[in-house]
Amino acid sequence: MSTLSNLFRSLLFFVAISFAFSCSQEGTSFKRVSLVPVDCVDPLVGSLSLGQKPLPAVVQLPHALLSISPMKADFRSNYIEGLPLVSFAALGDTQLYFCPLLSMAGADFTPFYTYDNEEVTPYSYKVYLDKEQVYCSFSLQERSGIYHLNFKESVSQERLFQFRSSSEIAFYQLDSLNRVYATYPLKGKGSLYLYLESNLPFEAASSVGEKILLVKAPSGCEELVIRYGISLIDHEQAQKNLQREIPSYEYNVVSKAARNAWSTALGRIKLEGGTLEEQSIFYTALYRSLTAPVCISEYGRYYCSMDDSVYDDEGTPFYTNDRTSESFRSLHPLKTLLFPEIEQQILNSYIRMAQRSNNKELPTYPSFGGDIASAIDRNRMLEIFTDAYSKGLTDIDIQTIYQVANNYMNSGKADAYDRWCYQKIATFSGRAIKEEGNKHIPVMAHPSISLIYQLEPYNIREIIESSKSVDTFEALLDERMTSVLLEPLTVHNMYGYYLYSFTDHPHKTQKIIRHVLKKNCRLDPAGFPTTVDGASWGASVVFSMLGFYPVTPGLGEYIIGSPMFTKAVLDQGGGRYFVLEAERASEKEKYVGPVILNEQPLRQLHFPHKSIAQGGSLKMKMYPKPLSD
């Protein structure tokens, strides 16, 4: 009896030690315990990068105009520069922000804050400023935000608020009712407008030029709530946006509504199986994919930077902020699958941009102030439209797209992939293929390692034919993959890992995909590789973890990889569900066995989008070793 008692006490001690160790871990360990999608998300993943610009944590509602990011260099920084009001990452860091100061600080004082207890979620930002002894809590709606500032630890101290901008040509104003207005000229055309007010009126004001506005908080206040709206139209619209979205100063009401918005969006995919960390990585990637493009309609109106005008949206929301050189690969295919109504609205927004631009071309990187594409950005709008139309999103003006495609073919900017898409668009529209678009530029005359792995994925079957045999193609892939472990994982090379699915040994794809995801996707600040476009990167991870991938945008098909979850249910809207089941899926059992698509055997490891566009099922068994391919 004594032996059993000692054994039981030892067991309890082991459990207690294990629990204490798990609770002692820093960062996001508690998030790993939750299976609620919104609580699985860690915005700090990717916020630390050695030698490159990190991926900033973003507080934003899905596809919403307003977003903020903590104002520090990266995850390791011991200082923050202030409290952000607007952070448009596409335009570089934070545009408008404010700084709580103690009264002894001068008007032109530039603060750097030490801080504690920082917490970032998709819908909120909290931080404690050490010297100033103020607890700051932020949440938001689509075009408006709210800060709750708690001074209870230092009520007797006088408080100043310094409103600042990252631009030399931005300016602040204070009206007779002590309401703050800001105007921030955008890169290109147009401006960002801000309207801000507080629950207790500011007592005094001064300015240092127009870039900095200094106001004083009421003496002896324990709490102050600041709320504000933004607009791309004017200050009046910014005020209207605030009044519609945040009509009161109840911070908790706003925070709860923002959390619910994310819960609904992330809940479009429900998972079973996988580890808790894998589910957290998945939902963090899904959150990233929902931060772009951005809806800039403001209750029926929108600003169009293509011709610097304001329009009625006529019931169709208007979107922008899309780096098409990356987003065509996986971001737009994911929205077509999961949010087809939103993708349809995005496509129609780009058609309107083309109609209002001087050259009647689709923009490469549409953003708030216009096309901000750099020299390295290639326009992939034709690929985006071809992929969506081939998957059934046909409620667009295909004749306009055909005309735009003609213009692009004649511009001298088109490559072989563009021509391939142009030919498909001509077929969709029932129009002739012009001579320029009919030219065929073979992407590879002689197969080589580098050409097989190039950035134009439409010609995979052509490459195989040029290789003379599937075996030759596979041998070239084998040689190329010897260095794959040394390369950073990007949106552009992800598709290459799926090319073995076109050979007689698709298990090689399944092995490599699992390996690169494990290496490159972790639940820590350095857990995502540095990428220019966090939304596109997130979509690539979502597809790969689900177990299928749109290798060739425009072809309307998916290639099966290696599912990481035993079950995933995708809510496609309108009562349509796509259910993917991978029996026994785990880190060890990663190889795909027989596959059943919509209750019918699938002979090859690829399937058309049309087979799941109205819902469907994909079932497979997973094995620890490859079956006979």
Side-chain angles (χ1 to χ4, degrees):
M1 185 69 176
S2 176
T3 302
L4 289 175
S5 178
N6 290 337
L7 180 60
F8 182 72
R9 283 196 295 270
S10 297
L11 180 60
L12 286 178
F13 177 77
F14 175 80
V15 171
I17 290 296
S18 299
F19 179 77
F21 176 79
S22 67
C23 290
S24 69
Q25 303 303 299
E26 295 181 353
T28 58
S29 61
F30 285 108
K31 293 184 180 181
R32 300 176 190 177
V33 177
S34 174
L35 292 179
V36 178
V38 69
D39 291 331
C40 288
V41 175
D42 188 350
L44 294 176
V45 172
S47 61
L48 175 60
S49 179
L50 300 178
Q52 302 183 64
K53 186 175 180 178
L55 189 64
V58 177
V59 182
Q60 175 189 356
L61 295 193
H63 303 113
L65 174 60
L66 178 60
S67 63
I68 67 139
S69 297
M71 296 185 65
K72 54 186 181 180
D74 63 27
F75 178 81
R76 299 166 297 181
S77 177
N78 293 322
Y79 301 93
I80 61 175
E81 298 177 33
L83 299 177
L85 293 169
V86 184
S87 306
F88 289 161
L91 303 183
D93 303 320
T94 293
Q95 287 72 50
L96 300 173
Y97 62 103
F98 74 102
C99 304
L101 304 175
L102 299 177
S103 60
M104 68 280 296
D108 58 349
F109 173 73
T110 300
F112 280 90
Y113 299 100
T114 61
Y115 64 94
D116 201 0
N117 298 323
E118 184 183 56
E119 178 184 331
V120 187
T121 75
Y123 57 90
S124 67
Y125 173 54
K126 297 180 179 180
V127 67
Y128 177 74
L129 306 182
D130 292 331
K131 181 180 178 181
E132 291 70 19
Q133 295 180 294
V134 54
Y135 290 94
C136 312
S137 300
F138 171 83
S139 192
L140 76 175
Q141 291 297 291
E142 293 182 357
R143 307 160 194 85
S144 55
I146 185 169
Y147 270 97
H148 179 271
L149 307 176
N150 186 323
F151 308 112
K152 291 182 179 178
E153 289 187 357
S154 54
V155 176
S156 60
Q157 297 197 53
E158 291 187 350
R159 301 279 177 177
L160 298 175
F161 292 97
Q162 189 185 74
F163 290 92
R164 304 178 68 100
S165 168
S166 60
S167 170
E168 292 293 338
I169 56 177
F171 61 90
Y172 284 95
Q173 292 176 312
L174 194 73
D175 70 7
S176 59
L177 298 177
N178 290 329
R179 297 174 300 190
V180 175
Y181 297 83
T183 304
Y184 184 98
L186 296 172
K187 178 182 179 181
K189 299 177 181 178
S191 295
L192 166 67
Y193 301 95
L194 177 140
Y195 167 85
L196 179 147
E197 59 189 23
S198 62
N199 64 328
L200 299 174
F202 300 123
E203 292 185 349
S206 62
S207 63
V208 181
E210 292 185 319
K211 183 182 174 182
I212 299 176
L213 174 69
L214 192 67
V215 299
K216 183 180 178 182
S219 300
C221 71
E222 295 185 351
E223 297 177 313
L224 185 69
V225 181
I226 293 173
R227 62 179 184 176
Y228 63 96
I230 66 168
S231 172
L232 299 177
I233 298 175
D234 54 32
H235 289 118
E236 182 181 357
Q237 186 63 50
Q239 183 177 1
K240 291 179 180 178
N241 293 343
L242 171 62
Q243 292 169 344
R244 292 190 66 159
E245 296 179 357
I246 307 180
S248 73
Y249 289 96
E250 297 293 331
Y251 170 83
N252 290 334
V253 172
V254 177
S255 180
K256 183 178 179 180
R259 175 184 168 85
N260 289 341
W262 271 111
S263 294
T264 299
L266 297 172
R268 293 289 286 268
I269 300 180
K270 292 182 171 56
L271 303 175
E272 294 181 16
T275 65
L276 297 177
E277 183 157 341
E278 286 168 348
Q279 290 204 15
S280 292
I281 291 170
F282 177 87
Y283 283 117
T284 298
L286 182 57
Y287 137 81
R288 285 287 181 184
S289 76
L290 296 176
T291 59
V294 168
C295 176
I296 61 172
S297 278
E298 302 179 41
Y299 299 102
R301 297 196 301 162
Y302 67 91
Y303 168 77
C304 181
S305 58
M306 295 299 159
D307 59 355
D308 196 26
S309 300
V310 176
Y311 291 93
D312 188 319
D313 68 16
E314 299 178 350
T316 301
F318 191 83
Y319 286 78
T320 190
N321 197 39
D322 185 1
R323 192 173 197 137
T324 67
S325 61
E326 297 192 3
S327 65
F328 83 99
R329 294 190 178 277
S330 55
L331 182 61
H332 283 278
L334 181 61
K335 294 188 190 301
T336 296
L337 176 65
L338 201 59
F339 301 96
E341 290 185 3
I342 291 178
E343 180 65 10
Q344 189 84 64
Q345 294 165 359
I346 293 170
L347 298 178
N348 282 308
S349 299
Y350 299 160
I351 291 175
R352 284 182 272 181
M353 290 181 188
Q355 292 170 334
R356 290 163 185 159
S357 66
N358 291 331
N359 56 10
K360 303 303 178 185
E361 289 186 1
L362 292 162
T364 301
Y365 189 169
S367 190
F368 307 105
D371 191 340
I372 61 172
S374 66
I376 64 172
D377 288 312
R378 176 170 285 280
N379 192 315
R380 288 304 186 196
M381 279 290 190
L382 296 188
E383 287 74 4
I384 290 171
F385 276 92
T386 302
D387 188 65
Y389 204 93
S390 69
K391 292 175 179 176
L393 297 190
T394 58
D395 189 17
I396 59 175
D397 186 352
I398 193 62
Q399 299 302 325
T400 294
I401 294 302
Y402 170 77
Q403 293 296 335
V404 168
N406 268 334
N407 295 340
Y408 194 66
M409 290 301 104
N410 294 324
S411 69
K413 303 174 185 177
D415 63 10
Y417 197 178
D418 296 323
R419 288 183 171 83
W420 181 79
C421 290
Y422 166 68
Q423 291 169 4
K424 283 185 167 291
I425 289 170
T427 300
F428 296 152
S429 64
R431 304 285 291 277
I433 299 174
K434 299 293 180 65
E435 182 178 352
E436 179 66 21
N438 210 15
K439 291 181 179 179
H440 179 68
I441 300 178
V443 178
M444 61 172 300
H446 304 286
S448 68
I449 299 169
S450 59
L451 287 175
I452 272 186
Y453 215 64
Q454 62 188 315
L455 303 184
E456 287 77 28
Y458 80 94
N459 63 329
I460 296 169
R461 291 176 176 86
E462 179 184 331
I463 292 176
I464 294 175
E465 291 175 3
S466 300
S467 301
K468 306 302 182 183
S469 72
V470 173
D471 290 342
T472 302
F473 175 73
E474 184 175 347
L476 291 170
L477 278 182
D478 287 340
E479 188 175 352
R480 181 64 181 82
M481 292 299 170
T482 56
S483 62
V484 72
L485 302 183
L486 303 177
E487 297 177 351
L489 185 59
T490 70
V491 173
H492 292 301
N493 64 20
M494 178 77 86
Y495 94 93
Y497 306 136
Y498 287 86
L499 297 183
Y500 282 112
S501 294
F502 293 90
T503 74
D504 295 329
H505 300 99
H507 72 270
K508 294 182 179 180
T509 278
Q510 295 154 24
K511 178 180 179 181
I512 291 173
I513 288 297
R514 283 299 193 105
H515 183 91
V516 297
L517 287 176
K518 183 177 180 179
K519 173 190 173 186
N520 291 278
C521 301
R522 305 179 308 277
L523 201 61
D524 62 61
F528 279 177
T530 297
T531 178
V532 174
D533 187 348
S536 296
W537 164 248
S540 292
V541 173
V542 167
F543 269 123
S544 291
M545 295 185 79
L546 287 174
F548 60 101
Y549 199 84
V551 171
T552 307
L555 197 58
E557 70 175 11
Y558 303 102
I559 305 302
I560 294 176
S562 179
M564 300 188 74
F565 308 104
T566 56
K567 186 175 182 179
V569 180
L570 282 65
D571 181 353
Q572 298 170 280
R576 297 170 296 126
Y577 295 88
F578 174 48
V579 181
L580 189 150
E581 296 181 80
E583 185 178 333
R584 300 192 301 262
S586 67
E587 182 177 359
K588 291 185 177 180
E589 295 180 288
K590 55 179 170 284
Y591 296 104
V592 175
V595 180
I596 305 295
L597 174 65
N598 297 332
E599 307 304 326
Q600 298 295 323
L602 192 65
R603 298 185 180 277
Q604 295 177 308
L605 293 183
H606 56 83
F607 60 95
H609 175 84
K610 64 181 180 181
S611 65
I612 63 170
Q614 300 303 317
S617 64
L618 188 69
K619 300 177 182 179
M620 64 193 78
K621 290 186 178 180
M622 309 297 290
Y623 295 87
K625 293 184 178 181
L627 300 183
S628 175
D629 292 315

